[in-house]
Amino acid sequence: MESETIVTLSSFLVEPNPRPATEAERAQKMVSPAFGTVFTDHIAMIPWHADRGWHDPRITARASLSLDPAASVLHYGQAVFEGFKAYRQPDGSVATFRPNAHGERFIRSCERMAMPGLPVETFIEATDRLILQDRAWVPTHPEHTMYLRPLMIATEAALGVRRAQEYLFLVQASPTGPYFASGIRPIAVWASREYSRTAPGGTGMAKCAGNYAASLLPQEQARSKGCSQVMWLDAKEHRFVEELGGMNLFFVLAHGSDKVVVTPTIEGGTLLAGITRASLLELARERGYRVEERLVPFDEVLSAIADGTMLEIFACGTAAVVTPVGRVLSNEGEHVVTEDEQMGPVSAELRSALVSIQRGTAPDTHGWMHTVPGTG
Ligand code: PLP
Ligand code: COI
């Protein structure tokens, strides 16, 4: 089913938006863009058909989609997405962070949801072409970035429960400020034992829409307890910490006079293999920290908070970057990691190392940054 067709940049049809935002409108929208609320003038779009593969790629005006009411995404939820960012560089060019890794994860998500894989080259070309078209929307504000949201949905009009024969890939771009309205101040998280995110053999490793739909009710429960995210525990025993609803988790533990950086293992396939997570693991190792990817019992987290050996907890992801966790709430009560309004030193060190690479103020020794052709 996977199409080998590679759609090249030159084959993209560009249909400029006949009514783009004026410079003044754009400037006004970009003053303080809350996450996911401001969108650029264009989207990238590539349809797929079982008989034709990927075809007719285009950059076109952002507008409502027209879908048949029987489109199978509306009924059976074949929908996967990605999230990554473009950063304005000191020389004015625009670079994306690890688009290859996001393109590869997109393929893994598609495979799990029985959807056709989009070649990584095409994934990158579509986003490059969109960024080039809408480069005026890439923020210059040091705290703002352009969030890119690739999406694939099943568009075939058919009510049979089977993989669809038609899909649409699209990318939209959204200039954004910090994900949390509170900025990077510590957040509180609710450890849910009532609900589960995904079970072994489920879709936890895929960035599919259903995972997020199922998280909304527990997320509201978390909010009602004053928490901004659910801390998911494993579905089988509710014993091990997995991740947050849209972020991975790290723990900084004291080990004698040393600090150990610990993050839940992704081996069980129930967590999203975060690209920020993988990058921070590398940065932490390079800085000489002992790093552990392993099962993290929730009891260990609570006892380390209680005895003071839990030095820092932080969440990480494309949207959240590195965000400190100040409090963990659970059925056992409230567990305060820190009363400090600032993030801890290890979180701050790793955040700064990552952001400096993304912003082009530190050398990109890992080859993580991809300059968008034509923006230099
Ligand atoms: N976990 C979940 C459930 C997510 O939605 C995200 C965000 O994409 C992450 C983790 C972090 O992944 P990444 O660092 O690749 O953005
Ligand atoms: C991201 O960080 O890209 C996410 O997708 C998290 C959330 C906004 C869904």
Side-chain angles (χ1 to χ4, degrees):
M1 172 115 183
E2 189 166 314
S3 166
E4 290 304 314
T5 320
I6 295 188
V7 177
T8 61
L9 196 57
S10 55
S11 60
F12 272 79
L13 176 69
V14 179
E15 303 170 317
N17 188 330
R19 279 177 296 282
T22 64
E23 222 176 304
E25 285 166 348
R26 191 174 62 238
Q28 194 266 326
K29 286 183 176 188
M30 287 176 67
V31 172
S32 180
F35 179 82
T37 60
V38 175
F39 300 97
T40 66
D41 295 317
H42 297 88
I43 57 172
M45 232 181 200
I46 317 178
W48 185 93
H49 190 282
D51 296 336
R52 298 179 65 193
W54 297 107
H55 61 94
D56 296 332
R58 63 184 192 276
I59 303 295
T60 191
R62 186 175 201 282
S64 301
L65 297 175
S66 161
L67 282 181
D68 191 285
S72 65
V73 63
L74 302 176
H75 302 264
Y76 309 128
Q78 267 186 305
V80 301
F81 68 98
E82 261 305 320
F84 68 114
K85 282 179 173 172
Y87 304 81
R88 183 74 68 176
Q89 301 297 292
D91 65 1
S93 65
V94 178
T96 51
F97 183 67
R98 307 194 72 175
N100 267 297
H102 285 276
E104 281 159 13
R105 188 172 67 189
F106 194 62
I107 291 179
R108 295 198 297 276
S109 298
C110 289
E111 275 170 359
R112 179 62 185 84
M113 302 303 285
M115 297 167 80
L118 181 79
V120 172
E121 296 86 333
T122 309
F123 179 93
I124 296 176
E125 288 193 17
T127 46
D128 280 356
R129 196 68 194 79
L130 176 65
I131 294 166
L132 184 63
Q133 188 70 26
D134 283 338
R135 58 190 174 281
W137 291 87
V138 180
T140 48
H141 185 295
E143 302 292 323
H144 298 177
T145 54
M146 179 181 267
Y147 183 75
L148 299 155
R149 178 50 74 86
L151 169 75
M152 196 195 295
I153 54 172
T155 50
E156 188 193 5
L159 295 182
V161 183
R162 54 161 173 76
R163 66 168 80 202
Q165 301 297 297
E166 289 169 41
Y167 295 88
L168 183 65
F169 169 73
L170 55 88
V171 188
Q172 50 193 315
S174 175
T176 183
Y179 183 69
F180 291 107
S182 58
I184 49 172
R185 293 221 301 278
I187 58 167
V189 297
W190 165 247
S192 177
R193 288 209 181 79
E194 191 180 342
Y195 297 104
S196 303
R197 180 173 171 272
T198 65
T203 57
M205 48 62 69
K207 211 160 161 53
C208 61
N211 287 347
Y212 298 84
S215 77
L216 299 178
L217 185 65
Q219 170 79 13
E220 280 179 14
Q221 191 182 56
R223 282 207 188 285
S224 72
K225 294 173 190 297
C227 294
S228 47
Q229 287 275 302
V230 176
M231 178 189 260
W232 293 107
L233 306 178
D234 76 285
K236 232 188 200 164
E237 299 178 272
H238 285 153
R239 228 181 106 199
F240 300 103
V241 178
E242 296 208 317
E243 61 177 329
L244 303 185
M247 288 144 230
N248 292 115
L249 275 170
F250 277 80
F251 304 91
V252 182
L253 288 153
H255 188 79
S257 58
D258 283 345
K259 290 177 179 174
V260 188
V261 175
V262 179
T263 191
T265 173
I266 53 170
E267 264 174 23
T270 52
L271 284 73
L272 194 76
I275 288 146
T276 317
R277 171 189 180 279
S279 310
L280 291 173
L281 281 171
E282 257 186 77
L283 293 172
R285 278 194 193 100
E286 283 168 15
R287 277 158 185 73
Y289 289 107
R290 196 172 111 200
V291 164
E292 293 176 359
E293 290 179 78
R294 61 170 169 85
L295 290 173
V296 179
F298 186 54
D299 281 351
E300 176 189 344
V301 172
L302 296 193
S303 59
I305 294 175
D307 69 19
T309 52
M310 181 65 77
L311 304 176
E312 300 172 39
I313 303 182
F314 63 88
C316 69
T318 297
V321 195
V322 168
T323 298
V325 175
R327 287 177 301 136
V328 178
L329 276 75
S330 70
N331 290 337
E332 291 86 353
E334 186 180 33
H335 317 275
V336 178
V337 187
T338 176
E339 301 276 13
D340 220 331
E341 284 295 288
Q342 306 297 318
M343 68 173 83
V346 178
S347 318
E349 180 187 3
L350 295 178
R351 184 179 208 282
S352 158
L354 178 70
V355 171
S356 307
I357 295 170
Q358 293 170 332
R359 299 266 172 202
T361 57
D364 175 25
T365 53
H366 308 86
W368 286 341
M369 301 309 290
H370 163 77
T371 302
V372 177
T375 63

